[in-house]
Amino acid sequence: MLTGKQKRYLRSLAETQPAILQIGKDALSDNLIDTVDKALAARELIKIRILKTAPEDTQELAFDLAMHTHSEIVQIIGRTLILYRRGKQPEIVLP
């Protein structure tokens, strides 16, 4: 579980990152979960854009995605989602 201070730090890191994935009409598929899982393993912190064509609610989609990838939601703002999962050899040092 991330503390408020850790979430603030991760948000500041993610602010300059572009969204690396987009979720559209297919919503939560096995392929998407696998892609997000690999992205988290490679980067630890990822930003995802949820398109207006996505059939599910943004919050619901975020919680499902976090649960399936064993990650934590750093922030949901509008249709943008930031996820974090500590890597086996962490590159991001949390305060």
Side-chain angles (χ1 to χ4, degrees), residues 4-93:
K5 187 175 185 178
Q6 291 170 331
K7 284 185 179 185
R8 279 192 302 276
Y9 176 70
L10 291 170
R11 280 196 304 262
S12 72
L13 292 177
E15 187 177 346
T16 58
Q17 284 186 0
I20 62 165
L21 293 170
Q22 291 183 340
I23 300 175
K25 63 180 180 189
D26 294 338
L28 205 61
S29 64
D30 291 337
N31 187 30
L32 174 70
I33 292 167
D34 189 45
T35 304
V36 170
D37 198 44
K38 288 177 182 174
L40 284 166
R43 296 178 173 228
E44 294 183 65
L45 183 69
I46 62 170
K47 190 186 284 188
I48 302 169
R49 171 90 13 119
I50 300 171
L51 302 175
K52 290 182 180 179
T53 57
E56 294 182 45
D57 176 54
T58 304
Q59 295 239 330
E60 188 178 316
L61 196 59
F63 288 119
D64 288 345
L65 199 54
M67 184 183 69
H68 286 298
T69 59
H70 307 290
S71 60
E72 293 196 52
I73 298 170
V74 176
Q75 184 179 35
I76 301 171
I77 186 162
R79 296 189 153 273
T80 303
L81 163 67
I82 302 169
L83 291 178
Y84 171 77
R85 183 175 70 197
R86 185 183 171 120
K88 290 181 179 157
Q89 295 177 341
E91 294 177 19
I92 299 173
V93 180

